[in-house]
Amino acid sequence: MVAQQGTAKAVPQDELAARLRLLQELSGRGVRALARDTGLSSSSLSRYLGGQTVPPWTAVIALCRLVKRDPRPLRPLWERASDPLPAPPKTSRQVQPPSPPADAPRPPRNDLPRDVPDFTGREAQFAAVLTAVDDSRVVAVDGMAGVGKTCLAVHAAHRLAADYPDAQLYVDLHGFTEGRQPLDPDRALRTLLAALDTPSEKIPQEGGIEPLAACWRSELAHRRAVVVLDNAADADQVRPLLPGAGPTVALITSRNRLLGLDEVPPVSLDVLTPEESAELLARASGDPGGSDSRLGRDPDSAAEVLRLCGHLPLALRLAAARLRHRPGWTVGILVERMAEGATEFDTAFAMSVRQLDRAQRRFFRLLGLLPGSTFDEYVAAALADTPLRSARAMLEDLLDAHLVQQPAAGRYRLHDLVHQHARRAAAEQDSPAELEQALGRVLDYYVHAAAAADAAMSYLSPIREVSAGRPPAELPTFTHKHAALFWFATEYTNLMAVFDAAVAAGADVHVCELPRFMRAFFARRCGTTHLNVLFERSLVAAQRLGDPLQLAEAHSDLGFARYNAGRMAEADAAYEAAAPLVSDVGDTLSEAELTMRRGYLRWDEGYVEEPLELFRLAGKLYADAGCPMGTVHATACEAWAMLQLGHREEAARLARRALDVPHADPAWPPALTARITLGVAIAHEEPDEAAEHLRRALALAREDGHKHNEAWCLNCLGVALRQMGRYEEALASHRQAFALLDELFEEHWKIHFLNGYAETCRLAGLPEEALRLHRQALELAPKLGYRYAEALAHEGIAAVLDETDPPAAAEHRAAGQAILQELKPGT
């Protein structure tokens, strides 16, 4: 079957952490000294000792060596804490990176906000930033709120872009955003990796931050990119996001000095000088600054504007915008309006807001309620319950007033200080009921938009209609799966924030349904770690709702998330909980979905006949539910299972039946599974057609950018070429498959390919290589719980040893037969 994402997740950690603390006590060192002497970071070591993160095995060895203790007794405990389980081949998801049309190369990613045209002063600081980048490749710009840190960093990033053409990335870490928790390093790294189009199969899903940060550094190692890490809370938040070896540069901004980043040179910003402030006010307001200008005619009032703005660039630009758009105002009128405020920030913001009409002021206040980061005009329209056209016009007005920023085409954001002002104004001027309704409209929008995006992707599982809230008047249009995937990647941090907001608001139906529409995206980009957490909370919400169907689907969804994470026992338990609920509800579609999922699980546990029956039953249930695409899905899985059982003619017949059903996406998972199955099944009788099917499948997998499926296709092509007697070509195909897995660091995936590769080696006259591969499979299969692969390894070794060591061959053959007997029903 076509592969899908799957990983394992750390489970019990407390016992391991306690043993590590004993090692610390033996060392007689504090955390900092212990970190220094073992070469670990103090923040990571604190998480290991506190049981928050399972350390890598190398860290355990370093701690043991320091106190002269043998680490080997800790290995079983570390493995239980890490609980590494396999990422098995599955059929329901495809990693699909957003890509442009085939006839146009995708341009490098550029997320940088617009460079301000009136950048003023800061010559020394700007030079210091460029010097620090040249010397250290990383620089931290710090200073108080509104002092222009982001403006300077973005200005420098635009200047550096030509020398770093591979990508220009920007992420707001929300270190000081009122009403929001700082963006944790895990989400920040996944956002950055998604921006680089990193396939989810390359992104670690276990082990905490360190493997994820290592993947980020690896992705940057051969790129010349510039990365702006804006609004950092502290050194611990930003440290995992720094590039490693390679040419990439990073510019960090924070309101705090990042003292924990000793290796990063700081550039501190103070307020502008009076001369620079005057120049900025003149340039931003469009005033020439001469004696006949508004500023020149009233220098005392102009000086008072600078004082009220605190010489802060943000406040100065807001004040200047009022002058620019109010040609009838004198500078004295501006001072009077500004003096009504309590502080220079609130004065500037409130003054700007007062120039708006009533609808615009309400619109601005409500924007402060958005729980996410950047936003588009669709969610803004839903938030304010206003037509899209009106929302777009008001956003343009707010842009002119410098109350909204536009970091990229079609995306908007509020500066932290503006965001604070909008939230406070909403709390003071709008009733709690109005604010609750506005937040509800945002939750409704994201569930319905996610459902629309999911429908545009070639996901297997049919999902019922949205029942959460009311659909918004207008949604984005997703013309193809690439557009949908790009929307998910862009909105990822917002979707996570919206989910948290739904949990906090007790919007249980939204909590149940939002993750369900994000499964395809998680499979392609973010893996399963977060999806497990989301479905855990969805189950709690479903239990509160008491809706039998929601509860049944929540158990089933959690089971599938567990299965994708390699947590087989937990998946089985969740399916067991779902089964009676699905039966009581009598929903045929949910029953078909659960039956398919149980088939995947039983197949990966090593059973062969039971999953075959489950796939057949699922096909009938999908047909009864009026879901022909689900029936094709079940048929393709049945064909693959029949092929593994040696029923080649029946496998080919079923595969052709699946391929006869048209689908708009040629890389649709059931079609890809059927094409691979057919190619292997007919390799003896129709070698040319078989090779064509397999090479077509390989091309589609490569076009999708799904490395796991590419490896799968290469391995199956090797099997088919071996059956054709083309041994050298077969060996080359197998080797390419294994090279891909080595590139992805996916050792556990090799269990699916080792025995087939070994059989090709045996028939190609390479018995020693065949024996080595079979023995590797025999060692790996029991660890991963792949009993069927273990049986095949025994039989493969027996075939190699038949001529040189018949007694040993007989022992292995008997062992293989015993395992197969265990896997038969009723034994």
Side-chain angles (χ1 to χ4, degrees):
M1 289 179 281
V2 173
Q4 72 186 110
Q5 182 70 14
T7 55
K9 179 178 171 68
V11 225
Q13 302 173 11
D14 292 346
E15 186 180 354
L16 178 62
R19 297 289 291 275
L20 296 181
R21 289 194 294 271
L22 287 176
L23 294 177
Q24 182 192 8
E25 291 176 14
L26 285 173
S27 74
R29 294 167 170 84
V31 173
R32 289 185 179 276
L34 189 62
R36 181 190 64 238
D37 294 342
T38 55
L40 304 172
S41 75
S42 57
S43 60
S44 296
L45 183 58
S46 295
R47 290 195 295 272
Y48 303 156
L49 296 174
Q52 298 166 302
T53 305
V54 176
W57 179 239
T58 53
V60 178
I61 292 174
L63 290 166
C64 290
R65 283 179 177 170
L66 187 66
V67 295
K68 296 181 171 55
R69 292 292 188 273
D70 184 358
R72 286 175 292 183
L74 286 178
R75 181 75 187 198
L77 176 59
W78 177 83
E79 289 179 346
R80 289 198 302 274
S82 302
D83 190 23
L85 292 172
K90 306 176 243 318
T91 56
S92 64
R93 301 180 184 180
Q94 294 288 303
V95 170
Q96 175 63 59
S99 58
D103 58 347
R106 186 177 179 83
R109 184 68 173 249
N110 188 333
D111 294 334
L112 295 179
R114 185 177 67 94
D115 193 11
V116 294
D118 54 18
F119 186 83
T120 302
R122 305 296 194 201
E123 288 86 1
Q125 294 87 349
F126 183 68
V129 167
L130 297 184
T131 299
V133 165
D134 287 340
D135 295 341
S136 304
R137 295 189 301 106
V138 183
V139 63
V141 181
D142 58 73
M144 68 179 295
V147 80
K149 302 179 295 297
T150 299
C151 188
L152 175 62
V154 169
H155 184 67
H158 278 282
R159 179 69 62 88
L160 293 165
D163 294 328
Y164 297 87
D166 296 334
Q168 295 86 44
L169 306 182
Y170 171 91
V171 61
D172 188 343
L173 299 176
H174 293 292
F176 299 91
T177 302
E178 185 180 10
R180 282 203 59 174
Q181 290 295 315
L183 191 66
D184 64 77
D186 185 289
R187 289 187 181 182
L189 285 165
R190 294 182 191 281
T191 299
L192 289 165
L193 287 166
L196 291 180
D197 285 340
T198 307
S200 64
E201 61 266 21
K202 294 183 68 175
I203 301 176
Q205 303 299 324
E206 61 180 83
I209 292 300
E210 283 76 16
L212 202 57
C215 177
W216 165 241
R217 292 192 297 270
S218 175
E219 288 295 302
L220 292 179
H222 304 293
R223 284 183 168 95
R224 294 188 63 83
V226 57
V227 182
V228 177
L229 305 172
D230 195 20
N231 200 4
D234 52 36
D236 286 340
Q237 183 192 26
V238 80
R239 187 179 290 108
L241 314 183
L242 298 181
T248 289
V249 300
L251 293 81
I252 310 161
T253 76
S254 178
R255 295 187 192 177
N256 292 334
R257 290 286 300 272
L258 301 178
L259 299 176
L261 299 180
D262 297 331
E263 72 280 12
V264 176
V267 173
S268 297
L269 297 188
D270 200 349
V271 297
L272 295 173
T273 67
E275 294 77 14
E276 290 171 336
S277 299
E279 180 183 355
L280 177 57
L281 181 64
R283 294 181 63 187
S285 64
D287 191 289
S291 59
D292 291 332
S293 70
R294 283 186 288 176
L295 292 173
R297 287 195 297 269
D298 193 352
D300 292 339
S301 294
E304 182 63 9
V305 170
L306 303 185
R307 188 193 69 79
L308 289 171
C309 289
H311 301 287
L312 287 162
L314 179 61
L316 287 164
R317 285 196 171 89
L318 289 168
R322 299 280 55 83
L323 277 181
R324 185 173 68 251
H325 293 288
R326 299 294 183 272
W329 277 14
T330 65
V331 183
I333 293 175
L334 176 63
V335 169
E336 291 174 5
R337 299 297 178 88
M338 292 179 66
E340 296 171 7
T343 68
E344 57 268 22
F345 293 123
D346 280 333
T347 295
F349 299 153
M351 178 272 300
S352 295
V353 173
R354 279 197 297 271
Q355 309 312 310
L356 306 174
D357 63 32
R358 182 176 179 180
Q360 291 170 332
R361 289 197 300 272
R362 172 183 175 271
F363 184 76
F364 168 72
R365 292 195 305 271
L366 292 180
L367 290 179
L369 303 180
L370 287 174
S373 179
T374 63
F375 57 92
D376 64 13
E377 58 198 26
Y378 288 95
V379 70
L383 168 74
D385 196 19
T386 192
L388 182 66
R389 189 173 184 178
S390 298
R392 186 182 297 127
M394 285 190 281
L395 284 169
E396 291 297 323
D397 291 335
L398 295 179
L399 276 171
D400 289 342
H402 286 262
L403 290 168
V404 168
Q405 299 171 328
Q406 190 172 36
R411 303 297 298 180
Y412 303 89
R413 70 185 292 269
L414 299 182
H415 185 279
D416 285 355
L417 298 175
V418 180
H419 191 263
Q420 288 177 14
H421 183 84
R423 285 176 66 88
R424 282 197 295 266
E428 293 169 359
Q429 301 176 42
D430 299 295
S431 70
E434 289 174 316
L435 300 183
E436 182 179 348
Q437 291 168 5
L439 178 60
R441 291 192 294 270
V442 173
L443 302 184
D444 292 350
Y445 167 79
Y446 272 108
V447 174
H448 285 270
D454 184 74
M457 300 171 71
S458 59
Y459 187 61
L460 292 171
S461 305
I463 298 178
R464 64 189 72 257
E465 295 295 322
V466 185
S467 59
R470 295 187 303 110
E474 296 185 73
L475 286 169
T477 301
F478 304 107
T479 55
H480 49 70
K481 63 184 178 183
H482 304 302
L485 186 58
F486 183 78
W487 182 85
F488 273 119
T490 302
E491 295 281 359
Y492 170 71
T493 56
N494 292 345
L495 288 162
M496 294 298 96
V498 164
F499 181 83
D500 292 341
V503 171
D508 288 335
V509 179
H510 297 77
V511 174
C512 286
E513 294 192 346
L514 183 58
R516 197 169 295 154
F517 295 112
M518 295 177 64
R519 291 179 301 181
F521 168 68
F522 270 86
R524 289 159 168 79
R525 275 290 175 271
C526 295
T528 59
T529 302
H530 281 168
L531 194 59
N532 270 271
V533 174
L534 297 186
F535 277 129
E536 287 168 8
R537 298 169 83 178
S538 292
L539 178 58
V540 174
Q543 290 167 336
R544 282 195 300 265
L545 284 171
D547 183 317
L549 181 57
Q550 287 281 17
L551 187 57
E553 292 190 334
H555 277 294
S556 179
D557 287 338
L558 179 59
F560 198 50
R562 296 287 196 243
Y563 164 74
N564 277 319
R567 297 158 65 174
M568 301 303 190
E570 294 174 80
D572 194 32
Y575 291 158
E576 287 296 327
L581 292 167
V582 169
S583 178
D584 291 345
V585 169
D587 188 275
T588 308
L589 191 59
S590 294
E591 186 178 359
E593 179 79 350
L594 180 61
T595 303
M596 281 296 294
R597 290 171 169 181
R598 299 187 82 165
Y600 304 148
L601 178 63
R602 298 302 279 167
W603 182 269
D604 284 351
E605 288 175 334
Y607 297 91
V608 288
E609 296 182 16
E610 182 183 353
L612 182 61
E613 293 305 314
L614 288 168
F615 293 144
R616 288 171 175 166
L617 175 59
K620 294 177 183 176
L621 290 169
Y622 278 128
D624 292 343
C627 180
M629 294 298 101
T631 303
V632 177
H633 177 195
T635 300
C637 292
E638 182 185 351
W640 176 259
M642 294 297 289
L643 178 65
Q644 306 316 300
L645 293 172
H647 305 308
R648 305 167 68 85
E649 291 184 4
E650 180 64 8
R653 185 185 68 80
L654 290 168
R656 291 187 191 279
R657 182 199 296 176
L659 287 172
D660 284 343
V661 178
H663 194 278
D665 183 4
W668 185 49
L672 202 61
T673 296
R675 198 174 291 281
I676 294 170
T677 301
L678 182 59
V680 176
I682 66 173
H684 278 300
E685 296 78 11
E686 301 289 343
D688 291 340
E689 183 186 350
E692 175 60 27
H693 282 299
L694 288 163
R695 295 191 190 283
R696 174 63 174 155
L698 178 59
L700 290 170
R702 284 173 171 164
E703 183 182 330
D704 271 356
H706 192 326
K707 297 296 184 183
H708 283 103
N709 278 348
E710 183 180 347
W712 193 262
C713 291
L714 284 165
N715 184 71
C716 290
L717 179 60
V719 171
L721 290 168
R722 175 230 298 161
Q723 293 172 357
M724 300 174 197
R726 296 157 61 175
Y727 296 131
E728 290 303 316
E729 294 174 74
L731 288 171
S733 191
H734 284 300
R735 287 166 184 154
Q736 288 181 61
F738 274 75
L740 273 177
L741 295 184
D742 287 335
E743 177 186 325
L744 297 170
F745 303 103
E746 292 281 26
E747 288 298 314
H748 61 277
W749 257 71
K750 293 180 180 178
I751 192 60
H752 306 297
F753 304 159
L754 282 165
N755 287 311
Y757 186 8
E759 179 66 5
T760 300
C761 290
R762 183 179 73 84
L763 294 175
L766 302 172
E768 293 301 320
E769 181 67 5
L771 201 58
R772 183 187 68 80
L773 292 168
H774 279 310
R775 283 175 173 158
Q776 188 178 343
L778 190 59
E779 179 183 358
L780 189 59
K783 295 178 182 177
L784 302 177
Y786 281 72
R787 298 285 284 158
Y788 190 58
E790 185 180 353
L792 293 180
H794 277 298
E795 295 203 342
I797 292 172
V800 176
L801 295 179
D802 271 335
E803 295 183 5
T804 59
D805 193 348
E811 290 180 12
H812 279 286
R813 188 166 283 111
Q817 289 300 316
I819 294 172
L820 291 175
Q821 189 65 25
E822 288 177 25
L823 297 176
K824 288 185 178 179
T827 62

